Amino acid sequence: MCLILLAHRAHPDFPLVLAANRDEFYARPTAPARYWPDAPHVLGGRDLTAGGTWLGLARDGRWAAVTNYRDPPAARQGRPSRGALVAEFLRNHAAPHDYLDAVSADAGEYDGFNLLVGDLAGAHYLGNRAPDGANRRKLEPGLYGLSNHLLDTPWPKVARGRRLLGELLDAGAPTTDALLGILYDTDVAPDDALPRTGIDAEWERALSASFIATPTYGTRASTALIIDRRGHATFVERTFGPGPRREADVRFDLEMALP
């Protein structure tokens, strides 16, 4: 997943509003969002190569999402799946801070990642590529953006997405359609604003859009998740194929158990 926009307790009626794009090669097999047969309390899409997920929600209100940290020279074959970090949190029932205690101990074994985990009581972030090692914190109420660098690194699509999310919340009650609209932004950044992450300029330009579409790689899923103050959750996933070709929308409504 390459873009996450998060409003954590930034609206009095909606303690969690999340919009996220998952970008991946079209050839990588993927299952759309559903309840997992081997973990029926978990809702999310599934990477069918490594078995993990990029974003998911458990029936008890715990949620998690991950992005890769883009650093091609540091990537190594054979390292554990970063999608497993989300899947393991959702499968089990550990509190977010306890789970990050366990992950922090082995964070260096993974290629670069940014992990967001939360429940109805709070939200937490762990990244393993901060300049001084692991970067971990509990999130204060507010708006956050995450792509393939550290949390709130002001890449153009992160800054624009945060601004649009803030405007949406200021206008009233957010909707999943409006969140999906924010995610479907194909504008690329001007060359003088492009990140410099070790890939060539043509790829840097293509990946600077919130919604990515190249012949082989692009946004495969856009997800909108809203949890209101009564604990009602709405989870909508829109999937895409090459082209980009819109494939399907799935929607789930469920009630969380308030703390």
Side-chain angles (χ1 to χ4, degrees):
M1 180 176 292
C2 288
L3 179 63
I4 302 173
L5 305 172
L6 171 66
H8 168 57
R9 299 196 176 278
H11 190 290
D13 295 323
F14 302 94
L16 178 68
V17 179
L18 187 151
N21 276 342
R22 183 239 183 174
D23 307 325
E24 185 53 87
F25 288 98
Y26 295 114
R28 190 173 179 109
T30 299
R34 61 172 178 166
Y35 289 104
W36 294 0
D38 55 337
H41 64 291
V42 176
L43 169 63
R46 202 97 179 246
D47 169 31
L48 297 180
T49 298
T53 187
W54 54 96
L55 167 66
L57 174 69
R59 289 183 183 272
D60 61 3
R62 291 177 308 114
W63 58 270
V66 70
T67 71
N68 296 345
Y69 183 99
R70 193 186 305 152
D71 185 9
R76 298 290 183 272
Q77 292 291 330
R79 285 183 169 172
S81 164
R82 290 163 287 192
L85 294 169
V86 174
E88 288 305 307
F89 175 69
L90 297 173
R91 285 177 180 277
N92 299 301
H93 298 281
H97 58 87
D98 291 335
Y99 183 71
L100 292 189
D101 283 344
V103 172
S104 295
D106 298 320
E109 300 300 315
Y110 294 82
D111 280 336
F113 70 80
N114 296 289
L115 179 64
L116 289 167
V117 297
D119 57 17
L120 296 179
H124 303 254
Y125 165 75
L126 174 66
N128 71 341
R129 286 297 185 270
D132 56 352
N135 179 13
R136 175 181 173 179
R137 59 187 167 117
K138 181 177 182 180
L139 302 186
E140 297 298 324
L143 302 180
Y144 297 89
L146 178 62
S147 186
N148 299 109
H149 203 260
L150 303 176
L151 184 66
D152 284 338
T153 296
W155 286 2
K157 64 180 173 182
V158 173
R160 175 174 168 79
R162 281 184 60 184
R163 176 176 59 80
L164 293 173
L165 179 58
E167 291 174 358
L168 177 63
L169 296 180
D170 288 343
T175 66
T176 55
D177 282 346
L179 293 173
L180 293 172
I182 290 173
L183 293 172
Y184 194 81
D185 179 357
T186 59
D187 289 345
V188 299
D191 283 0
D192 61 359
L194 292 176
R196 300 289 187 265
T197 62
I199 58 178
D200 66 45
E202 182 178 358
W203 269 106
E204 204 77 81
R205 191 175 301 115
L207 299 184
S208 72
S210 297
F211 187 96
I212 297 167
T214 80
T216 59
Y217 180 92
T219 299
R220 301 280 304 274
S222 295
T223 305
L225 171 61
I226 300 173
I227 301 180
D228 69 22
R229 60 185 174 85
R230 293 175 294 275
H232 178 84
T234 303
F235 182 110
V236 176
E237 181 189 80
R238 177 170 293 167
T239 52
F240 299 89
R245 181 183 70 253
R246 181 170 163 180
E247 293 181 334
D249 289 11
V250 292
R251 174 182 172 126
F252 301 85
D253 290 274
L254 56 158
E255 303 301 325
M256 310 280 95
L258 293 174

